[in-house]
Amino acid sequence: MPPISEQNRQPSTTSLSSKGDKVIDPSTYFSTHVPPSNLNASKILVSEFVSKNSKINRPVVLVTSGGTTVPLENNTVRFIDNFSNGNRGAASTERLLEEGYAVIFMHREHSLQPYNRHYTHSAERFLDYFVAGENGEVQINLKYKEKIQTDFEKYSKAINNNQLLMVTFVTLSDYLFLLREVSLTLAAMKRNAMFYLAAAVSDFFIPSHNMSEHKIQSREGNLTLEMNQVPKFLKPLVMNWAPDSYIVSFKLETDPELLVPKARHALSNYGHQIVIANMLHTRKTEVWLIEDKKESHHLQLDSKEAANGVDIELLIIQELVKRHKEWINKN
Amino acid sequence: MPPISEQNRQPSTTSLSSKGDKVIDPSTYFSTHVPPSNLNASKILVSEFVSKNSKINRPVVLVTSGGTTVPLENNTVRFIDNFSNGNRGAASTERLLEEGYAVIFMHREHSLQPYNRHYTHSAERFLDYFVAGENGEVQINLKYKEKIQTDFEKYSKAINNNQLLMVTFVTLSDYLFLLREVSLTLAAMKRNAMFYLAAAVSDFFIPSHNMSEHKIQSREGNLTLEMNQVPKFLKPLVMNWAPDSYIVSFKLETDPELLVPKARHALSNYGHQIVIANMLHTRKTEVWLIEDKKESHHLQLDSKEAANGVDIELLIIQELVKRHKEWINKN
């Protein structure tokens, strides 16, 4: 693969500063930002959930899902977001539950959620799922009833069996604080824990102390935003927070030249177990599993499967569960 | 009110360029951007809707609602968004329907929608509205049934009576193209048409030809984003697209010093009928109606109303409908 040219890395609207910008440490990030208000409540829920599942020796996986926002103002009117609607994480969670895992589903508020995902971001609106019966009484539209019945049963079972816990974040900062807490708690399960880091986390942010206090005004011309690189939190996660667990990260690109090299670079940099590499426009039908010292493993839906609405997460989770079991037994 | 200081306008993370940046014309914007793929389909729907309501002499209002996104890359991974979830527009639409208006509800995809808004962004997930009956069959949870019955009836009536049409946008560009088409069609109703521009439209954008083709890379340090000011589309709307209609715009600020002066400035600049001014943190309980040559009119929920979940849109729409009627009769 050819080296990345300067031109590729420096599109006209961005300038990559060379005056010795340093990416801050994760610890510096935590000491200069305020934790989210729901952190403690989430921590208690996670701790109870891990404890219950540990007792019955059920493996637990943390699935992170959806995008993080980066506020541009302290009184936030505007923020940077990304394309992720959370389908990858939600679909993977359904498969992991089927495989007998307990799942901590740590997701962006209002992003797609397991079993519920089929109803919330579709062309139908909430009230479109109902009709008036003969007596005028509102009831579930028969057209949808069978599907709702199936999803309702699976969803209820997962919740009632302590197999599914949902915790939320919105901003990058919420995400990072919550990730650290959940990781430290889940780490106690050692090799029985998996981390499936499917959330699309921002790469750039504006440190709180540099942010505009009020809504940025527009009447004086162009706007220049200076953003800092987000510290790489995978490093402390792998090295310190949960060093004994099976860790799966994701790499999404739009330039095919960069995909595999960047995935391999992440593996050698952070020393975790596996990277799932995917391209923005084919991510629903095709991924590559990248592991150290192995050929990359290509997974793809055939056209019939894709047309029938099979989720590629079916294939991804099958492969991961196999690898996680082998990895547990090997050690 | 004191003049705005340089310091207020120039927070440390933004620089307001002074090298003669010119805001482009709306016409330049349209000639250099690609219309959304659903534009023609939406145009046909709007045209039929306006025609049907014209025939029965029902006034029509365009409600715009939710935020627009501004992509940072042509293969979009990241975009700038804003805080709006669309509640203002959705709640106002419900009141306008009650007042006998037909409503074109032009909203950000998946933002809050009339009657459906009570179910889609709440703590309950879709499947939480159901329970298993005695025979195990899924049914509507009795706890929610009465509310769903009421909302379902109102929603169905509005749709079946041709009183409510929903069209969607996502990006700033989608919004601007759609706004122009809808305005030109609705303008035929002259004074019988109202424009209620509640959408939170981006002030800054990156012109398509300046955008990075691929996902912006993070490993080389800081990121600088150069953004241009969005042309002021209220001007052609008021002057050319719908010069005979009643036009309501919104002004949201976080700095109380700026709110009323900016609202009055918009009125004198664009020459439309009314600005609804509101502060980010009190927008759900308090607004000011600003009209040319009149004292501003303050609307506020009392603490009991706020606690009981009364929407301030009840007060806003009452006042607007009164003004729209007076304005129709005066001319």
Side-chain angles (χ1 to χ4, degrees):
Chain A
M1 207 153 277
I4 307 136
S5 73
E6 277 302 298
Q7 205 184 351
N8 275 350
R9 279 196 277 107
Q10 302 204 355
S12 62
T13 51
T14 66
S15 73
L16 300 165
S17 171
S18 57
K19 42 181 175 167
D21 297 314
K22 265 194 69 131
V23 182
I24 60 168
D25 280 338
S27 58
T28 306
Y29 185 95
F30 288 121
S31 64
T32 53
H33 288 81
V34 180
S37 58
N38 68 346
L39 184 63
N40 217 34
S42 298
K43 189 178 161 178
I44 291 167
L45 290 174
V46 168
S47 181
E48 289 171 355
F49 185 80
V50 168
S51 160
K52 281 178 193 156
N53 282 290
S54 285
K55 275 181 198 145
I56 56 172
N57 210 26
R58 191 193 266 154
V60 179
V61 52
L62 169 68
V63 173
T64 68
S65 186
T68 61
T69 67
V70 171
L72 301 183
E73 297 122 341
N74 273 323
N75 283 291
T76 305
V77 175
R78 304 186 183 90
F79 52 84
I80 295 186
D81 202 343
N82 65 55
F83 78 97
S84 173
N85 64 12
N87 192 61
R88 175 80 86 217
S92 300
T93 295
E94 293 171 14
R95 303 309 314 167
L96 286 158
L97 292 168
E98 302 271 336
E99 295 280 357
Y101 279 75
V103 182
I104 300 166
F105 185 67
M106 175 177 150
H107 65 288
R108 160 77 173 277
E109 193 180 25
H110 305 314
S111 65
L112 291 174
Q113 292 154 25
Y115 307 118
N116 294 279
R117 70 186 167 114
H118 308 293
Y119 309 97
T120 52
H121 289 51
S122 65
E124 282 80 19
R125 298 172 177 94
F126 180 85
L127 295 168
D128 293 333
Y129 290 98
F130 303 94
V131 287
E134 279 180 25
N135 53 3
E137 199 183 0
V138 69
Q139 55 188 50
I140 302 172
N141 189 332
L142 273 184
K143 196 165 98 184
Y144 305 110
K145 192 158 180 181
E146 198 179 332
K147 174 84 179 127
I148 293 177
Q149 177 86 41
T150 308
D151 285 324
F152 173 78
E153 284 172 6
K154 290 181 181 172
Y155 172 69
S156 306
K157 186 177 154 224
I159 297 284
N160 297 337
N161 284 355
N162 284 312
Q163 220 189 325
L164 175 61
L165 175 70
M166 313 227 220
V167 289
T168 61
F169 59 84
V170 176
T171 67
L172 170 70
S173 181
D174 299 347
Y175 170 86
L176 293 174
F177 276 100
L178 187 56
L179 178 66
R180 182 175 63 169
E181 289 300 341
V182 176
S183 300
L184 292 170
T185 306
L186 189 51
M189 296 196 69
K190 297 192 183 277
R191 307 186 79 82
N192 245 347
M194 192 200 291
F195 287 74
Y196 185 83
L197 305 169
V201 183
S202 315
D203 294 317
F204 299 101
F205 77 115
I206 301 178
S208 181
H209 59 275
N210 277 349
M211 241 186 275
S212 169
E213 188 60 22
H214 288 294
K215 183 181 174 190
I216 299 164
Q217 298 298 313
S218 68
R219 64 181 172 203
E220 294 283 317
N222 286 5
L223 174 78
T224 305
L225 286 176
E226 275 282 335
M227 305 191 74
N228 292 10
Q229 200 177 325
V230 173
K232 298 297 183 189
F233 284 84
L234 198 47
K235 194 154 221 163
L237 198 163
V238 175
M239 292 183 62
N240 306 323
W241 302 344
D244 300 322
S245 301
Y246 190 78
I247 295 173
V248 184
S249 75
F250 283 76
K251 183 60 76 183
L252 176 114
E253 293 294 334
T254 67
D255 183 347
E257 300 276 295
L258 295 181
L259 185 64
V260 174
K262 289 199 73 174
R264 294 230 172 258
H265 181 256
L267 270 189
S268 66
N269 222 16
Y270 307 123
H272 59 303
Q273 284 67 41
I274 189 162
V275 177
I276 300 182
N278 55 153
M279 297 293 299
L280 179 64
H281 294 297
T282 58
R283 68 190 189 279
K284 296 196 170 168
T285 55
E286 183 174 32
V287 304
W288 291 263
L289 307 188
I290 315 280
E291 293 164 291
D292 198 27
K293 293 172 192 149
K294 284 191 192 168
E295 287 282 301
S296 64
H297 187 95
H298 185 220
L299 296 176
Q300 187 169 24
L301 295 180
D302 63 37
S303 54
K304 201 174 150 191
E305 290 169 326
N308 288 336
V310 174
D311 293 319
I312 193 168
E313 289 75 13
L314 176 71
L315 309 183
I316 297 175
I317 297 304
Q318 272 174 354
E319 291 294 326
L320 284 185
V321 168
K322 198 170 73 184
R323 281 163 173 73
H324 186 208
K325 280 186 185 151
E326 284 169 8
W327 185 81
I328 291 172
N329 293 332
K330 207 168 60 186
N331 291 272
Chain B
M1 206 155 280
I4 308 136
S5 74
E6 277 303 296
Q7 204 184 349
N8 276 349
R9 279 195 276 109
Q10 301 204 358
S12 62
T13 51
T14 65
S15 73
L16 301 165
S17 171
S18 58
K19 43 183 173 164
D21 297 314
K22 265 194 68 137
V23 182
I24 59 167
D25 281 337
S27 57
T28 306
Y29 184 94
F30 287 121
S31 64
T32 53
H33 287 80
V34 180
S37 58
N38 69 346
L39 184 62
N40 218 32
S42 298
K43 189 178 162 179
I44 291 168
L45 290 174
V46 168
S47 182
E48 288 171 357
F49 185 80
V50 168
S51 159
K52 280 177 192 156
N53 282 291
S54 285
K55 275 183 197 143
I56 57 172
N57 211 26
R58 191 192 266 156
V60 179
V61 53
L62 169 69
V63 173
T64 69
S65 186
T68 62
T69 68
V70 171
L72 302 184
E73 297 121 342
N74 273 322
N75 283 293
T76 306
V77 175
R78 306 184 182 92
F79 52 84
I80 296 187
D81 203 343
N82 65 57
F83 78 97
S84 172
N85 64 11
N87 192 61
R88 174 81 86 215
S92 300
T93 295
E94 293 172 13
R95 302 310 313 167
L96 285 158
L97 292 168
E98 301 270 337
E99 294 279 359
Y101 279 74
V103 182
I104 301 166
F105 185 67
M106 177 178 148
H107 65 290
R108 161 75 172 276
E109 194 180 24
H110 305 314
S111 65
L112 292 174
Q113 292 154 25
Y115 307 118
N116 294 280
R117 70 186 166 113
H118 309 293
Y119 309 97
T120 51
H121 289 51
S122 66
E124 282 80 18
R125 298 172 178 94
F126 180 86
L127 294 168
D128 293 334
Y129 290 98
F130 303 94
V131 287
E134 279 179 26
N135 52 2
E137 198 183 4
V138 67
Q139 55 188 50
I140 302 171
N141 189 334
L142 273 183
K143 196 165 99 184
Y144 306 110
K145 192 158 180 181
E146 197 179 332
K147 173 83 179 130
I148 293 177
Q149 177 87 40
T150 308
D151 285 324
F152 174 78
E153 284 172 7
K154 289 181 181 172
Y155 172 68
S156 306
K157 184 175 156 226
I159 297 284
N160 297 336
N161 284 354
N162 284 312
Q163 221 190 325
L164 175 61
L165 175 70
M166 313 227 221
V167 289
T168 61
F169 59 84
V170 176
T171 67
L172 170 71
S173 182
D174 298 347
Y175 170 86
L176 293 174
F177 276 100
L178 187 56
L179 178 66
R180 183 175 64 168
E181 289 300 341
V182 176
S183 300
L184 291 170
T185 305
L186 189 51
M189 296 195 70
K190 296 192 183 277
R191 306 185 81 82
N192 245 346
M194 192 199 290
F195 287 74
Y196 186 83
L197 305 169
V201 183
S202 316
D203 294 318
F204 300 101
F205 77 115
I206 301 179
S208 181
H209 59 274
N210 277 350
M211 241 185 272
S212 169
E213 188 60 21
H214 288 295
K215 184 182 175 189
I216 299 164
Q217 297 299 315
S218 68
R219 62 179 175 206
E220 294 283 317
N222 286 4
L223 175 77
T224 305
L225 286 177
E226 275 282 336
M227 307 191 74
N228 292 10
Q229 200 177 324
V230 174
K232 298 297 185 191
F233 284 83
L234 197 48
K235 194 154 221 166
L237 198 164
V238 175
M239 290 183 63
N240 305 322
W241 300 345
D244 300 322
S245 300
Y246 190 78
I247 295 172
V248 184
S249 74
F250 283 77
K251 183 61 77 184
L252 176 114
E253 293 293 335
T254 67
D255 183 348
E257 301 275 295
L258 294 181
L259 186 64
V260 174
K262 288 201 71 174
R264 294 224 171 261
H265 181 258
L267 270 188
S268 66
N269 222 17
Y270 307 123
H272 60 302
Q273 283 67 42
I274 189 162
V275 176
I276 301 181
N278 55 151
M279 297 293 298
L280 179 65
H281 294 296
T282 59
R283 68 190 188 281
K284 295 195 170 168
T285 55
E286 182 174 33
V287 305
W288 291 263
L289 308 187
I290 315 280
E291 293 163 292
D292 197 29
K293 293 171 191 148
K294 284 189 192 170
E295 286 282 300
S296 64
H297 188 96
H298 184 222
L299 296 176
Q300 188 167 24
L301 295 180
D302 63 38
S303 54
K304 200 175 152 193
E305 290 168 326
N308 289 336
V310 175
D311 293 318
I312 194 171
E313 288 75 13
L314 176 71
L315 309 183
I316 297 174
I317 298 303
Q318 273 174 353
E319 292 293 327
L320 284 186
V321 169
K322 198 169 74 184
R323 282 164 173 73
H324 186 208
K325 280 186 184 152
E326 283 169 7
W327 185 80
I328 290 172
N329 293 331
K330 208 168 60 185
N331 291 271

